Amino acid sequence: MCLAVPGRVLGVEERDGTRMATVDFGGVVKEVCLEYLPDLKVGEYAIVHVGFALQRLDEDSARQTLELFEHLGMLQEEFGDPWEQAAAENGSGRPSHDVAAGEVQR
Amino acid sequence: MKYIDEFQDPGLAARLVDEIHATVTRPWALMEVCGGQTHTIIRHGIDQLLPEEVELIHGPGCPVCVTPLEVIDKALEIASRPGVIFCSFGDMLRVPGTGRDLFQVRGEGGDVRVVYSPLDALRIAEQNQDREVVFFGIGFETTAPPNAMTVYQARRQRIRNFSMLVSHVRVPPAIEAIMRSPDCRVQAFLAAGHVCSVMGTGEYPELAERFRVPIVVTGFEPLDILEGVRRTVLQLERGDHTVDNAYPRAVRPEGNPAARAMLDDVFEVTDRAWRGIGVIPGSGWRLSERYRDYDAEHRFQVDGITTREPAACRSGEVLQGLLKPHECEAFGTTCTPRSPLGATMVSSEGACAAYYLYRRLDLTAQAQAPASQNRAPARPPSAETAPPTPSPSPSPSSCPSPSMEGSSVV
């Protein structure tokens, strides 16, 4: 189908009685209808789908989620297999970082 | 890109994977409802990073895939008529109807146009007042508000040469149908994040309670999927079955009230046939009586359609999570994205296309490898087993940028 991606509002205007915005998606700028988020302001982020802003992106929530991920690992330290952990630490670094190779290249 | 890149961080992914490994003690079967999530999971090899106890069953949340053949055939018929400009999202072009697709209709002289937004189709109607402009309005609750707004604007601006062929679908009735199926193995759901951005989470507690399944609202980036799985497994291990929101940056409990009000005005709930699955009661939206003048099915009398599915296509079983794509005899042989037998091989959100594009076909050999190889916590796919680096595939014109490809939506 289509995509819903976060974009940052660059400007807002009324056009033919419809609230519209120019939105920046990491360098690509698109016209976006704001009728479903009329109070969205310049500088804010929104989830945009087929030319419509559908939900404000809550930047505090995003930060909190990432902080939560940073603090994960307690369980593993407590209950994980120490032999496997030692082997991983003894090996060529954290192999998990190679995930990026298959993951984010686009 | 901000709010995408951070949620693909490999270091944090490893932490989440570790945590899931440390939490799980028994086998669990989770269904991700949304095709966009299926795409992320297969593309990034997330299912291969998870403990073998955690199985991800791919759900029916690819809107292109479940649009009924009869509606596709109606679209092909309308698009073939002289005087019609037929507008659609790009991924409908290659969806097989009975014997042909929109791409072929265009080749035979039909005026078929790909648009990024339904509002683009409305603009085309304004600029071509001597032509009938029809927009193919499909999709889940995420796409329904843009389409509803477009019909509302057409009526408000009295653009009478515009109409919409509507075949919208809704997630909660599909969850109910899956849980009621006698073959059902699903023990928990990753709910579709952007559907909930619009609809909120209010429809799900009753389903979680009635079927005793955890339902975790989940986003679309790799870390979002892992966090959805982590929270789901935590509930399963504890014996809980509640609705949890693992995607709070884009989902509020109430959803988007303005969008929901527009949906209530423009659409009404109807029974809907899902391709490969059958009719699910109350699972669709059609234009309400007030907007019937803008309904392409009413404007164009399209009767006497005889539909015919290719016998070899088992997409219905794939859509219900009963069959993995590569287990189908036609997969990669008589059925490829270039010559698809079924819609699941067409859309980037279709499970078959995702497996074809990103999954190494030596998976079965890998699954039989010694368990210790698969059990090491946070062990990423090694060089031999890693999913192939995606080659830059030509992005559809509707894509704002190739880097957005991972963030699909239902």
Side-chain angles (χ1 to χ4, degrees):
Chain A
M1 179 94 245
C2 275
L3 313 159
V5 288
R8 184 169 174 271
V9 178
L10 298 177
V12 176
E13 62 171 332
E14 294 282 330
R15 203 176 307 150
D16 304 329
T18 304
R19 201 159 174 80
M20 299 293 288
T22 44
V23 176
D24 175 29
F25 302 93
V28 178
V29 176
K30 288 262 179 193
E31 296 296 300
V32 166
C33 178
L34 286 196
E35 284 292 306
Y36 292 134
L37 279 180
D39 56 348
L40 200 66
K41 294 181 183 61
V42 170
E44 287 189 302
Y45 281 81
I47 300 288
V48 175
H49 176 60
V50 296
F52 285 75
L54 292 183
Q55 189 55 270
R56 176 179 273 106
L57 194 143
D58 181 354
E59 300 192 52
D60 287 341
S61 281
R63 202 165 43 243
Q64 282 164 16
T65 302
L66 290 167
E67 280 169 10
L68 168 83
F69 296 162
E70 294 281 0
H71 291 104
L72 285 175
M74 302 282 291
L75 266 185
Q76 178 65 14
E77 280 167 30
E78 193 69 20
F79 305 123
D81 182 337
W83 293 106
E84 285 179 342
Q85 282 174 34
E89 282 157 18
N90 204 26
S92 53
R94 293 287 291 172
S96 317
H97 292 269
D98 297 345
V99 176
E103 204 171 64
V104 280
Q105 288 185 10
R106 307 194 148 178
Chain B
M1 215 172 98
K2 197 154 164 63
Y3 298 117
I4 289 186
D5 296 344
E6 303 96 310
F7 289 88
Q8 300 187 344
D9 182 274
L12 294 181
R15 281 168 186 263
L16 280 159
V17 171
D18 280 352
E19 193 81 358
I20 295 166
H21 275 268
T23 305
V24 72
T25 65
R26 282 168 284 171
W28 300 112
L30 284 55
M31 176 175 274
E32 87 275 4
V33 173
C34 170
Q37 292 169 336
T38 304
H39 183 95
T40 304
I41 288 164
I42 303 306
R43 177 176 185 144
H44 297 272
I46 289 171
D47 52 338
Q48 293 168 288
L49 293 174
L50 293 175
E52 61 186 12
E53 290 91 343
V54 178
E55 182 190 359
L56 294 177
I57 300 176
H58 314 310
C62 160
V64 171
C65 306
V66 299
T67 300
L69 183 55
E70 190 188 359
V71 175
I72 304 281
D73 283 350
K74 280 182 183 172
L76 295 170
E77 166 63 25
I78 293 170
S80 305
R81 294 193 181 177
V84 167
I85 300 174
F86 194 87
C87 300
S88 168
F89 296 130
D91 42 10
M92 293 305 285
L93 291 183
R94 298 307 303 262
V95 174
T98 300
R100 57 181 183 158
D101 57 30
L102 280 171
F103 199 73
Q104 280 165 281
V105 167
R106 188 171 67 168
E108 290 156 7
D111 193 345
V112 179
R113 302 188 192 181
V114 171
V115 292
Y116 161 64
S117 166
L119 285 179
D120 296 342
L122 196 58
R123 233 157 275 142
I124 291 172
E126 277 181 286
Q127 292 157 1
N128 295 273
Q129 294 188 7
D130 55 331
R131 309 273 297 276
E132 280 290 332
V133 175
V134 182
F135 180 74
F136 201 173
I138 69 147
F140 280 87
E141 290 97 324
T142 320
T143 318
N147 291 347
M149 176 63 74
T150 304
V151 176
Y152 171 84
Q153 295 278 4
R155 187 165 176 258
R156 186 177 70 88
Q157 298 173 39
R158 298 191 172 79
I159 302 176
R160 297 188 197 285
N161 61 324
F162 178 85
S163 61
M164 197 176 285
L165 181 61
V166 175
S167 186
H168 278 298
V169 276
R170 303 167 57 228
V171 167
I175 288 184
E176 179 165 355
I178 288 161
M179 289 313 297
R180 283 177 180 280
S181 159
D183 300 321
C184 177
R185 297 191 297 119
V186 179
Q187 294 165 294
F189 288 94
L190 306 183
H194 293 143
V195 163
C196 297
S197 294
V198 171
M199 300 303 292
T201 53
E203 295 173 288
Y204 297 98
E206 188 272 326
L207 288 168
E209 184 57 38
R210 181 150 47 111
F211 296 107
R212 306 185 71 78
V213 285
I215 300 179
V216 177
V217 177
T218 302
F220 297 85
E221 297 305 327
L223 297 194
D224 292 320
I225 303 276
L226 287 169
E227 174 67 351
V229 170
R230 186 184 74 87
R231 293 200 192 193
T232 305
V233 169
L234 213 52
Q235 281 204 44
L236 287 166
E237 291 283 343
R238 288 176 180 157
D240 290 345
H241 48 270
T242 61
V243 175
D244 188 13
N245 182 3
Y247 193 38
R249 70 182 184 278
V251 174
R252 320 269 177 279
E254 70 281 10
N256 182 323
R260 291 173 62 188
M262 182 63 79
L263 289 172
D264 285 344
D265 177 47
V266 175
F267 293 130
E268 61 191 23
V269 170
T270 181
D271 296 346
R272 175 79 65 208
W274 294 48
R275 191 171 191 174
I277 296 176
V279 174
I280 302 177
S283 68
W285 272 314
R286 64 178 176 200
L287 288 170
S288 62
E289 192 58 46
R290 203 168 24 257
Y291 293 90
R292 207 48 57 85
D293 288 348
Y294 292 88
D295 189 337
E297 288 196 67
H298 285 257
R299 189 170 301 186
F300 301 88
Q301 293 302 313
V302 192
D303 299 320
I305 284 182
T306 318
T307 60
R308 197 182 65 249
E309 287 279 16
C313 181
R314 299 177 69 186
S315 59
E317 291 161 81
V318 171
L319 285 167
Q320 294 172 76
L322 304 175
L323 185 79
K324 289 276 193 287
H326 60 284
E327 294 164 355
C328 172
E329 299 77 17
F331 178 84
T333 54
T334 53
C335 182
T336 66
R338 263 176 193 275
S339 60
L341 290 179
T344 48
M345 188 56 99
V346 178
S347 169
S348 65
E349 288 165 50
C352 297
Y355 270 67
Y356 187 89
L357 291 172
Y358 303 121
R359 177 63 89 230
R360 288 173 65 103
L361 296 179
D362 55 2
L363 257 192
T364 33
Q366 201 189 103
Q368 287 157 4
S372 60
Q373 200 172 319
N374 291 336
R375 289 302 312 278
R379 189 186 176 92
S382 65
E384 308 93 68
T385 56
T389 304
S391 55
S393 50
S395 49
S397 60
S398 60
C399 281
S401 130
S403 70
M404 296 172 184
E405 208 184 311
S407 298
S408 310
V409 73
V410 296

